[in-house]
Amino acid sequence: MSEVVLPWPFELLRQRMTAGRDANGLHVLVSLAASLANETEVDLSEADSLQDGEDQSLYSAIFGYCLEHGLTEDERALVARTFTDASRISGGEGGHV
């Protein structure tokens, strides 16, 4: 059985988290990842709060990847483990973003 890795846009987000980037943009991106992985409601209007072009591009890449490719069950579980707690810590309590 092969090792499950984060799909590329989620890996970029993980790297951005460890680099300690802008808190607001990071919160929106992490909340998006957690919501998609946990299959909870996504508030697309939060994308409007992203000021940084890189954050906007990554938001689109994450959302687009899920629409185009979807996540396998193993990928979904890995994304959920990686981003759900971080989403709660950064202020995204609850199931709705």
Coordinates of all heavy atoms in Angstrom, one line a residue:
M1 N 0.8 -1.2 0.0 CA 0.0 0.0 0.0 C 0.9 1.3 0.0 O 1.8 1.4 0.8 CB -0.9 0.0 1.2 CG -1.9 1.1 1.3 SD -3.1 0.7 2.6 CE -3.5 2.3 3.1
S2 N 0.6 2.2 -0.9 CA 1.4 3.4 -1.0 C 1.0 4.4 0.1 O -0.1 4.5 0.6 CB 1.3 4.0 -2.4 OG 0.0 4.4 -2.6
E3 N 2.0 5.3 0.4 CA 1.8 6.3 1.4 C 0.9 7.4 0.8 O 1.1 7.8 -0.3 CB 3.1 6.9 1.8 CG 3.0 8.0 2.8 CD 4.4 8.6 3.2 OE1 5.4 7.9 2.9 OE2 4.4 9.7 3.7
V4 N 0.0 7.9 1.6 CA -0.9 8.9 1.2 C -0.2 10.3 1.5 O 0.4 10.5 2.5 CB -2.3 8.9 2.0 CG1 -3.1 10.1 1.5 CG2 -3.0 7.6 1.7
V5 N -0.2 11.1 0.5 CA 0.4 12.5 0.6 C -0.7 13.5 0.4 O -1.7 13.3 -0.3 CB 1.6 12.7 -0.3 CG1 2.7 11.7 0.0 CG2 1.1 12.5 -1.8
L6 N -0.5 14.7 0.9 CA -1.4 15.8 0.7 C -1.4 16.2 -0.8 O -0.3 16.3 -1.4 CB -1.0 17.0 1.5 CG -1.2 17.0 3.0 CD1 -0.6 18.2 3.7 CD2 -2.7 16.9 3.3
P7 N -2.5 16.4 -1.4 CA -2.5 16.9 -2.8 C -1.8 18.2 -2.8 O -1.8 19.0 -1.8 CB -4.0 17.0 -3.1 CG -4.7 16.0 -2.2 CD -3.9 16.0 -0.9
W8 N -1.3 18.6 -3.9 CA -0.3 19.7 -4.0 C -0.9 21.0 -3.4 O -0.1 21.7 -2.8 CB 0.2 19.9 -5.5 CG -0.9 20.4 -6.4 CD1 -1.7 19.6 -7.2 CD2 -1.2 21.8 -6.7 NE1 -2.5 20.4 -8.0 CE2 -2.2 21.8 -7.7 CE3 -0.7 23.0 -6.2 CZ2 -2.8 22.9 -8.2 CZ3 -1.3 24.1 -6.7 CH2 -2.3 24.1 -7.7
P9 N -2.1 21.4 -3.7 CA -2.5 22.7 -3.1 C -2.6 22.7 -1.6 O -2.3 23.7 -0.9 CB -3.8 23.1 -3.7 CG -4.4 21.8 -4.2 CD -3.2 20.9 -4.5
F10 N -2.9 21.5 -1.0 CA -3.0 21.4 0.4 C -1.6 21.3 1.0 O -1.3 21.8 2.1 CB -3.8 20.1 0.8 CG -5.2 20.2 0.4 CD1 -5.7 19.7 -0.7 CD2 -6.1 20.9 1.3 CE1 -7.0 19.8 -1.1 CE2 -7.5 21.0 0.9 CZ -7.9 20.4 -0.3
E11 N -0.6 20.8 0.3 CA 0.8 20.8 0.8 C 1.3 22.2 0.8 O 2.0 22.6 1.7 CB 1.6 19.9 -0.1 CG 3.1 19.9 0.2 CD 3.4 19.5 1.6 OE1 2.7 18.7 2.3 OE2 4.5 19.9 2.1
L12 N 1.0 23.0 -0.2 CA 1.4 24.4 -0.2 C 0.8 25.1 1.0 O 1.5 25.9 1.6 CB 1.0 25.1 -1.5 CG 1.7 24.7 -2.8 CD1 1.0 25.4 -4.0 CD2 3.2 25.0 -2.7
L13 N -0.4 24.8 1.3 CA -1.0 25.5 2.5 C -0.3 25.0 3.8 O -0.1 25.8 4.7 CB -2.5 25.1 2.6 CG -3.2 25.7 3.8 CD1 -3.1 27.2 4.0 CD2 -4.7 25.3 3.7
R14 N 0.0 23.7 3.9 CA 0.7 23.2 5.1 C 2.1 24.0 5.2 O 2.4 24.4 6.3 CB 0.9 21.7 5.0 CG 1.5 21.1 6.3 CD 2.1 19.7 6.0 NE 3.2 19.7 5.1 CZ 4.4 20.2 5.4 NH1 4.7 20.6 6.6 NH2 5.4 20.1 4.5
Q15 N 2.8 24.1 4.1 CA 4.0 24.8 4.1 C 3.8 26.3 4.6 O 4.7 26.8 5.3 CB 4.7 24.8 2.8 CG 5.2 23.4 2.4 CD 5.7 23.3 1.0 OE1 5.9 24.3 0.3 NE2 5.9 22.1 0.5
R16 N 2.8 26.9 4.1 CA 2.5 28.3 4.5 C 2.2 28.4 6.0 O 2.6 29.4 6.6 CB 1.3 28.8 3.6 CG 1.2 30.3 3.8 CD 0.3 30.9 2.8 NE 0.9 30.8 1.5 CZ 0.4 31.2 0.4 NH1 -0.8 31.7 0.4 NH2 1.0 31.1 -0.8
M17 N 1.5 27.4 6.5 CA 1.2 27.4 7.9 C 2.5 27.3 8.7 O 2.6 28.0 9.7 CB 0.4 26.1 8.3 CG -1.1 26.3 8.0 SD -2.0 24.7 8.3 CE -1.5 24.3 10.0
T18 N 3.4 26.5 8.3 CA 4.7 26.3 9.1 C 5.6 27.6 9.0 O 6.4 27.8 9.8 CB 5.4 25.1 8.7 OG1 5.8 25.1 7.3 CG2 4.6 23.8 9.0
A19 N 5.4 28.4 7.9 CA 6.1 29.6 7.7 C 5.6 30.7 8.5 O 6.2 31.8 8.5 CB 6.2 29.9 6.2
G20 N 4.4 30.6 9.1 CA 3.8 31.6 9.9 C 3.4 32.9 9.1 O 3.7 34.0 9.5
R21 N 2.7 32.7 8.0 CA 2.2 33.8 7.2 C 1.1 34.5 7.8 O 0.6 34.2 8.9 CB 1.7 33.2 5.8 CG 2.8 32.5 5.0 CD 3.7 33.5 4.3 NE 2.9 34.5 3.5 CZ 2.8 34.5 2.2 NH1 3.5 33.7 1.5 NH2 2.1 35.5 1.6
D22 N 0.6 35.6 7.1 CA -0.5 36.4 7.5 C -1.6 35.7 8.2 O -2.2 34.7 7.6 CB -1.0 37.2 6.3 CG -2.4 37.8 6.5 OD1 -2.5 38.6 7.5 OD2 -3.3 37.6 5.7
A23 N -2.0 36.0 9.4 CA -3.0 35.3 10.2 C -4.4 35.3 9.5 O -5.0 34.2 9.5 CB -3.1 35.9 11.6
N24 N -4.9 36.4 9.0 CA -6.2 36.4 8.4 C -6.3 35.6 7.2 O -7.2 34.7 7.0 CB -6.6 37.9 8.0 CG -8.0 37.9 7.4 OD1 -9.0 37.4 8.0 ND2 -8.1 38.3 6.2
G25 N -5.3 35.7 6.3 CA -5.3 34.9 5.1 C -5.2 33.4 5.4 O -5.9 32.6 4.8
L26 N -4.3 33.1 6.3 CA -4.1 31.8 6.7 C -5.4 31.2 7.3 O -5.7 30.0 7.0 CB -2.9 31.7 7.7 CG -2.4 30.3 8.0 CD1 -2.0 29.6 6.8 CD2 -1.3 30.4 9.0
H27 N -6.1 31.9 8.2 CA -7.3 31.4 8.8 C -8.3 31.1 7.7 O -8.9 30.0 7.7 CB -7.9 32.5 9.7 CG -9.3 32.2 10.1 ND1 -9.7 31.1 10.9 CD2 -10.5 32.8 9.7 CE1 -11.0 31.1 11.0 NE2 -11.5 32.1 10.3
V28 N -8.5 31.9 6.7 CA -9.5 31.7 5.6 C -9.1 30.4 4.9 O -9.9 29.6 4.6 CB -9.6 32.9 4.7 CG1 -10.4 32.6 3.5 CG2 -10.2 34.1 5.4
L29 N -7.8 30.3 4.5 CA -7.3 29.1 3.8 C -7.5 27.8 4.6 O -7.9 26.8 4.0 CB -5.9 29.3 3.3 CG -5.7 30.5 2.3 CD1 -4.2 30.8 2.2 CD2 -6.2 30.0 0.9
V30 N -7.1 27.9 5.8 CA -7.2 26.7 6.7 C -8.6 26.3 6.9 O -9.0 25.1 6.8 CB -6.4 26.9 8.0 CG1 -6.7 25.8 9.0 CG2 -4.9 27.0 7.7
S31 N -9.5 27.3 7.1 CA -10.9 27.0 7.2 C -11.5 26.3 6.0 O -12.3 25.4 6.1 CB -11.7 28.3 7.6 OG -11.3 28.8 8.8
L32 N -11.1 26.8 4.8 CA -11.6 26.2 3.6 C -11.1 24.8 3.5 O -11.9 23.9 3.2 CB -11.0 27.0 2.4 CG -11.3 26.3 1.0 CD1 -12.8 26.4 0.7 CD2 -10.5 27.0 -0.1
A33 N -9.9 24.5 3.8 CA -9.3 23.1 3.7 C -10.1 22.2 4.7 O -10.5 21.1 4.3 CB -7.8 23.1 4.0
A34 N -10.3 22.7 5.9 CA -11.0 21.9 6.9 C -12.4 21.6 6.5 O -12.9 20.5 6.6 CB -10.9 22.5 8.3
S35 N -13.1 22.6 6.0 CA -14.5 22.5 5.6 C -14.6 21.5 4.4 O -15.5 20.7 4.4 CB -15.1 23.8 5.2 OG -15.2 24.7 6.3
L36 N -13.7 21.6 3.4 CA -13.8 20.7 2.3 C -13.5 19.2 2.8 O -14.2 18.3 2.3 CB -12.8 21.1 1.2 CG -13.2 22.4 0.5 CD1 -12.0 22.8 -0.4 CD2 -14.5 22.2 -0.3
A37 N -12.6 19.1 3.6 CA -12.2 17.7 4.1 C -13.3 17.1 5.0 O -13.6 15.9 4.9 CB -10.9 17.8 4.9
N38 N -13.9 18.0 5.8 CA -15.0 17.5 6.7 C -16.4 17.6 6.1 O -17.4 17.3 6.8 CB -14.9 18.3 8.0 CG -13.7 18.0 8.8 OD1 -13.3 16.8 9.0 ND2 -12.9 19.0 9.1
E39 N -16.4 18.0 4.8 CA -17.7 18.1 4.1 C -18.7 18.9 4.8 O -19.9 18.6 5.0 CB -18.2 16.7 3.8 CG -17.2 15.9 2.9 CD -17.7 14.5 2.7 OE1 -18.5 13.9 3.4 OE2 -17.1 13.9 1.7
T40 N -18.3 20.1 5.3 CA -19.1 21.0 6.0 C -19.3 22.3 5.1 O -18.6 22.4 4.1 CB -18.6 21.5 7.4 OG1 -17.3 22.0 7.2 CG2 -18.5 20.3 8.3
E41 N -20.2 23.1 5.4 CA -20.5 24.3 4.6 C -19.3 25.2 4.4 O -18.6 25.5 5.4 CB -21.6 25.1 5.3 CG -22.1 26.3 4.5 CD -23.3 27.0 5.3 OE1 -24.1 26.3 5.8 OE2 -23.3 28.2 5.2
V42 N -19.2 25.7 3.2 CA -18.1 26.6 2.9 C -18.7 28.0 2.5 O -19.6 28.0 1.7 CB -17.3 26.1 1.7 CG1 -16.2 27.1 1.2 CG2 -16.6 24.8 2.0
D43 N -18.2 29.0 3.2 CA -18.6 30.4 2.9 C -17.7 31.0 1.9 O -16.6 31.5 2.3 CB -18.7 31.2 4.2 CG -19.2 32.6 4.0 OD1 -19.5 33.0 2.8 OD2 -19.3 33.3 5.0
L44 N -18.1 31.0 0.6 CA -17.2 31.5 -0.4 C -17.0 33.0 -0.3 O -16.0 33.5 -0.9 CB -17.8 31.1 -1.8 CG -17.9 29.6 -2.1 CD1 -18.6 29.4 -3.4 CD2 -16.5 29.0 -2.1
S45 N -17.8 33.7 0.4 CA -17.6 35.1 0.5 C -16.4 35.4 1.3 O -15.8 36.6 1.2 CB -18.8 35.8 1.2 OG -19.0 35.4 2.5
E46 N -15.8 34.5 2.1 CA -14.6 34.7 2.8 C -13.4 35.0 1.9 O -12.5 35.6 2.3 CB -14.3 33.6 3.8 CG -15.2 33.6 5.0 CD -14.6 32.7 6.1 OE1 -13.8 31.8 5.8 OE2 -14.9 33.0 7.3
A47 N -13.5 34.5 0.7 CA -12.4 34.7 -0.3 C -12.2 36.2 -0.5 O -11.1 36.6 -0.8 CB -12.7 33.9 -1.6
D48 N -13.3 37.0 -0.4 CA -13.2 38.4 -0.6 C -12.3 39.1 0.4 O -11.8 40.2 0.2 CB -14.6 39.1 -0.6 CG -15.5 38.6 -1.7 OD1 -15.0 38.2 -2.7 OD2 -16.7 38.7 -1.6
S49 N -12.1 38.5 1.6 CA -11.3 39.1 2.6 C -9.8 38.9 2.4 O -9.0 39.4 3.0 CB -11.7 38.6 4.0 OG -11.3 37.2 4.1
L50 N -9.5 38.0 1.4 CA -8.0 37.7 1.1 C -7.4 38.9 0.3 O -7.9 39.2 -0.8 CB -7.9 36.4 0.3 CG -8.3 35.2 1.0 CD1 -8.3 34.0 0.1 CD2 -7.5 34.9 2.2
Q51 N -6.5 39.6 0.9 CA -5.8 40.7 0.3 C -4.6 40.3 -0.5 O -4.3 41.0 -1.5 CB -5.4 41.7 1.4 CG -6.5 42.2 2.3 CD -7.5 43.0 1.5 OE1 -7.2 43.8 0.7 NE2 -8.8 42.7 1.7
D52 N -3.9 39.3 -0.1 CA -2.7 38.9 -0.8 C -3.0 38.0 -2.0 O -3.8 37.1 -2.0 CB -1.8 38.0 0.2 CG -0.5 37.6 -0.4 OD1 0.3 38.5 -0.5 OD2 -0.4 36.5 -0.7
G53 N -2.4 38.4 -3.1 CA -2.6 37.6 -4.4 C -2.2 36.2 -4.3 O -2.9 35.3 -4.9
E54 N -1.2 35.8 -3.5 CA -0.8 34.4 -3.3 C -1.9 33.7 -2.6 O -2.2 32.5 -2.9 CB 0.5 34.3 -2.5 CG 1.7 34.5 -3.4 CD 3.0 34.2 -2.5 OE1 3.0 33.1 -1.8 OE2 3.8 35.1 -2.5
D55 N -2.5 34.3 -1.6 CA -3.6 33.7 -0.8 C -4.8 33.5 -1.7 O -5.4 32.4 -1.7 CB -4.0 34.6 0.4 CG -3.0 34.5 1.5 OD1 -2.1 33.7 1.5 OD2 -3.1 35.4 2.4
Q56 N -5.1 34.5 -2.6 CA -6.3 34.3 -3.5 C -6.0 33.2 -4.5 O -6.9 32.4 -4.7 CB -6.5 35.6 -4.2 CG -6.9 36.8 -3.3 CD -6.9 38.1 -4.0 OE1 -6.4 38.3 -5.1 NE2 -7.5 39.1 -3.4
S57 N -4.8 33.1 -5.0 CA -4.5 32.0 -5.9 C -4.5 30.6 -5.3 O -5.1 29.7 -5.8 CB -3.1 32.2 -6.5 OG -3.1 33.4 -7.3
L58 N -4.1 30.6 -4.0 CA -4.1 29.3 -3.3 C -5.5 28.9 -3.0 O -5.9 27.7 -3.1 CB -3.2 29.3 -2.1 CG -3.1 28.0 -1.3 CD1 -2.6 26.9 -2.2 CD2 -2.1 28.2 -0.1
Y59 N -6.4 29.8 -2.6 CA -7.8 29.6 -2.3 C -8.4 29.0 -3.6 O -9.1 27.9 -3.5 CB -8.5 30.9 -1.9 CG -9.9 30.7 -1.4 CD1 -10.2 30.6 -0.1 CD2 -11.0 30.6 -2.3 CE1 -11.5 30.5 0.4 CE2 -12.2 30.4 -1.9 CZ -12.5 30.4 -0.5 OH -13.8 30.2 -0.1
S60 N -8.2 29.6 -4.7 CA -8.7 29.1 -6.0 C -8.2 27.7 -6.3 O -8.9 26.9 -6.8 CB -8.4 30.1 -7.1 OG -9.1 31.3 -6.9
A61 N -6.9 27.5 -6.1 CA -6.3 26.2 -6.4 C -6.9 25.1 -5.5 O -7.1 24.0 -6.0 CB -4.8 26.3 -6.2
I62 N -7.1 25.4 -4.2 CA -7.6 24.4 -3.3 C -9.0 24.0 -3.8 O -9.4 22.8 -3.9 CB -7.6 24.8 -1.9 CG1 -6.1 24.9 -1.4 CG2 -8.4 24.0 -1.0 CD1 -6.0 25.6 0.0
F63 N -9.8 25.0 -4.0 CA -11.2 24.8 -4.3 C -11.3 24.1 -5.7 O -12.1 23.2 -5.9 CB -12.0 26.2 -4.3 CG -13.5 26.0 -4.3 CD1 -14.1 25.7 -3.1 CD2 -14.2 26.1 -5.4 CE1 -15.5 25.5 -3.0 CE2 -15.6 25.9 -5.4 CZ -16.2 25.6 -4.2
G64 N -10.5 24.6 -6.7 CA -10.5 24.0 -8.0 C -10.1 22.6 -8.0 O -10.6 21.8 -8.7
Y65 N -9.1 22.3 -7.2 CA -8.6 20.9 -7.2 C -9.7 20.0 -6.7 O -9.9 18.9 -7.3 CB -7.4 20.8 -6.2 CG -6.8 19.4 -6.2 CD1 -5.7 19.1 -7.0 CD2 -7.3 18.5 -5.3 CE1 -5.2 17.8 -7.0 CE2 -6.8 17.2 -5.3 CZ -5.7 16.8 -6.1 OH -5.2 15.6 -6.1
C66 N -10.4 20.4 -5.7 CA -11.5 19.5 -5.1 C -12.6 19.4 -6.2 O -13.2 18.3 -6.3 CB -12.0 20.1 -3.8 SG -10.8 19.9 -2.5
L67 N -12.9 20.5 -6.9 CA -14.0 20.4 -7.9 C -13.5 19.5 -9.1 O -14.3 18.7 -9.6 CB -14.3 21.8 -8.4 CG -15.1 22.6 -7.5 CD1 -15.3 24.0 -8.1 CD2 -16.5 22.0 -7.3
E68 N -12.3 19.6 -9.5 CA -11.8 18.9 -10.7 C -11.4 17.5 -10.4 O -11.8 16.5 -11.1 CB -10.6 19.6 -11.3 CG -10.2 19.0 -12.6 CD -9.1 19.8 -13.3 OE1 -9.0 21.1 -13.1 OE2 -8.3 19.2 -14.0
H69 N -10.7 17.2 -9.3 CA -10.2 15.9 -9.0 C -10.9 15.2 -7.8 O -10.9 14.0 -7.8 CB -8.7 16.0 -8.6 CG -7.9 16.6 -9.7 ND1 -7.5 16.0 -10.9 CD2 -7.3 17.9 -9.8 CE1 -6.8 16.8 -11.6 NE2 -6.7 17.9 -11.0
G70 N -11.4 16.0 -6.9 CA -12.0 15.4 -5.7 C -10.8 14.9 -4.8 O -9.7 14.9 -5.2
L71 N -11.2 14.4 -3.7 CA -10.2 13.8 -2.7 C -10.6 12.4 -2.5 O -11.8 12.1 -2.3 CB -10.3 14.5 -1.4 CG -9.8 16.0 -1.4 CD1 -10.1 16.6 0.0 CD2 -8.4 16.1 -1.7
T72 N -9.6 11.5 -2.5 CA -9.9 10.1 -2.2 C -10.2 10.1 -0.7 O -10.0 11.1 0.0 CB -8.7 9.2 -2.4 OG1 -7.6 9.6 -1.5 CG2 -8.2 9.2 -3.9
E73 N -10.8 9.0 -0.2 CA -11.1 9.0 1.2 C -9.9 9.1 2.1 O -9.9 9.8 3.1 CB -11.8 7.7 1.6 CG -12.5 7.6 2.9 CD -13.5 8.8 3.2 OE1 -14.2 9.2 2.3 OE2 -13.6 9.2 4.4
D74 N -8.8 8.5 1.7 CA -7.5 8.6 2.4 C -7.0 10.1 2.4 O -6.5 10.6 3.4 CB -6.4 7.7 1.8 CG -6.8 6.2 2.2 OD1 -7.5 5.9 3.1 OD2 -6.2 5.3 1.4
E75 N -7.1 10.7 1.2 CA -6.6 12.1 1.1 C -7.5 13.0 2.0 O -7.0 13.9 2.7 CB -6.7 12.6 -0.3 CG -5.6 12.0 -1.2 CD -5.8 12.4 -2.7 OE1 -7.0 12.6 -3.1 OE2 -4.8 12.3 -3.4
R76 N -8.8 12.8 2.0 CA -9.7 13.6 2.7 C -9.4 13.4 4.2 O -9.4 14.4 5.0 CB -11.2 13.1 2.5 CG -12.2 14.1 3.1 CD -13.5 13.4 3.3 NE -13.5 12.2 4.2 CZ -13.3 12.2 5.5 NH1 -13.2 13.4 6.1 NH2 -13.2 11.1 6.2
A77 N -9.1 12.2 4.7 CA -8.8 12.0 6.1 C -7.5 12.7 6.5 O -7.4 13.3 7.5 CB -8.7 10.5 6.4
L78 N -6.5 12.7 5.6 CA -5.2 13.3 5.8 C -5.4 14.8 5.9 O -4.9 15.5 6.8 CB -4.2 12.9 4.8 CG -2.8 13.6 4.9 CD1 -2.2 13.2 6.3 CD2 -1.9 13.1 3.8
V79 N -6.2 15.4 5.0 CA -6.4 16.8 5.0 C -7.2 17.2 6.2 O -6.8 18.2 6.9 CB -7.2 17.3 3.7 CG1 -7.7 18.7 3.8 CG2 -6.4 17.1 2.4
A80 N -8.1 16.4 6.6 CA -8.9 16.7 7.8 C -8.0 16.7 9.1 O -8.0 17.6 9.9 CB -10.0 15.7 8.0
R81 N -7.1 15.7 9.2 CA -6.2 15.6 10.3 C -5.2 16.8 10.3 O -4.9 17.3 11.4 CB -5.4 14.3 10.3 CG -6.1 13.1 10.7 CD -5.2 11.9 11.0 NE -4.3 11.6 9.9 CZ -4.6 10.8 8.8 NH1 -5.8 10.2 8.8 NH2 -3.7 10.6 7.9
T82 N -4.8 17.2 9.1 CA -3.8 18.3 9.0 C -4.4 19.7 9.4 O -3.7 20.5 10.0 CB -3.2 18.3 7.6 OG1 -2.7 17.0 7.3 CG2 -2.1 19.4 7.5
F83 N -5.6 19.9 9.0 CA -6.1 21.3 9.0 C -7.3 21.5 10.0 O -7.6 22.7 10.3 CB -6.6 21.8 7.6 CG -5.4 21.8 6.7 CD1 -5.3 20.9 5.6 CD2 -4.4 22.7 6.8 CE1 -4.2 20.9 4.8 CE2 -3.3 22.8 5.9 CZ -3.2 21.8 4.9
T84 N -8.0 20.5 10.5 CA -9.2 20.7 11.3 C -8.8 21.4 12.6 O -9.4 22.4 13.0 CB -10.0 19.4 11.5 OG1 -10.4 19.0 10.3 CG2 -11.1 19.7 12.4
D85 N -7.8 20.8 13.3 CA -7.4 21.4 14.6 C -6.9 22.8 14.4 O -7.1 23.8 15.2 CB -6.4 20.6 15.3 CG -7.0 19.3 15.9 OD1 -8.3 19.3 16.1 OD2 -6.3 18.4 16.2
A86 N -6.1 23.0 13.3 CA -5.5 24.4 13.0 C -6.6 25.4 12.8 O -6.6 26.5 13.2 CB -4.6 24.3 11.9
S87 N -7.7 24.9 12.1 CA -8.8 25.8 11.9 C -9.5 26.2 13.2 O -9.8 27.4 13.4 CB -9.9 25.1 11.0 OG -11.0 25.8 10.8
R88 N -9.7 25.3 14.1 CA -10.3 25.7 15.4 C -9.4 26.6 16.2 O -9.9 27.6 16.8 CB -10.6 24.4 16.2 CG -11.7 23.6 15.6 CD -12.0 22.4 16.4 NE -13.0 21.6 15.8 CZ -13.0 20.3 15.5 NH1 -11.9 19.6 15.9 NH2 -14.0 19.7 14.9
I89 N -8.1 26.4 16.2 CA -7.1 27.2 16.9 C -7.1 28.6 16.4 O -7.1 29.6 17.1 CB -5.7 26.6 16.9 CG1 -5.7 25.3 17.7 CG2 -4.7 27.6 17.4 CD1 -4.5 24.4 17.5
S90 N -7.2 28.8 15.0 CA -7.1 30.1 14.4 C -8.4 30.8 14.5 O -8.5 31.9 14.0 CB -6.6 30.0 13.0 OG -7.6 29.4 12.2
G91 N -9.5 30.2 15.1 CA -10.7 31.0 15.3 C -11.9 30.4 14.5 O -13.0 31.0 14.6
G92 N -11.7 29.3 13.8 CA -12.8 28.8 13.0 C -13.6 27.7 13.8 O -13.7 26.6 13.4
E93 N -14.1 28.0 15.0 CA -14.9 27.1 15.8 C -16.1 26.7 15.1 O -16.8 27.5 14.4 CB -15.2 27.7 17.2 CG -14.0 28.0 18.0 CD -13.3 26.8 18.5 OE1 -13.9 25.7 18.6 OE2 -12.1 26.9 18.7
G94 N -16.5 25.4 15.3 CA -17.8 25.0 14.7 C -17.7 24.4 13.3 O -16.6 24.5 12.7
G95 N -18.8 24.0 12.8 CA -18.8 23.3 11.5 C -19.0 24.2 10.3 O -18.7 23.9 9.2
H96 N -19.4 25.5 10.6 CA -19.7 26.4 9.5 C -18.6 27.4 9.4 O -18.2 28.0 10.4 CB -21.0 27.1 9.6 CG -22.1 26.1 9.5 ND1 -22.6 25.6 8.4 CD2 -22.9 25.5 10.5 CE1 -23.6 24.8 8.6 NE2 -23.8 24.7 9.9
V97 N -18.1 27.6 8.2 CA -17.0 28.6 8.1 C -17.5 29.9 7.7 O -18.4 30.1 7.0 CB -16.0 28.1 7.0 CG1 -14.9 29.1 6.8 CG2 -15.5 26.7 7.3

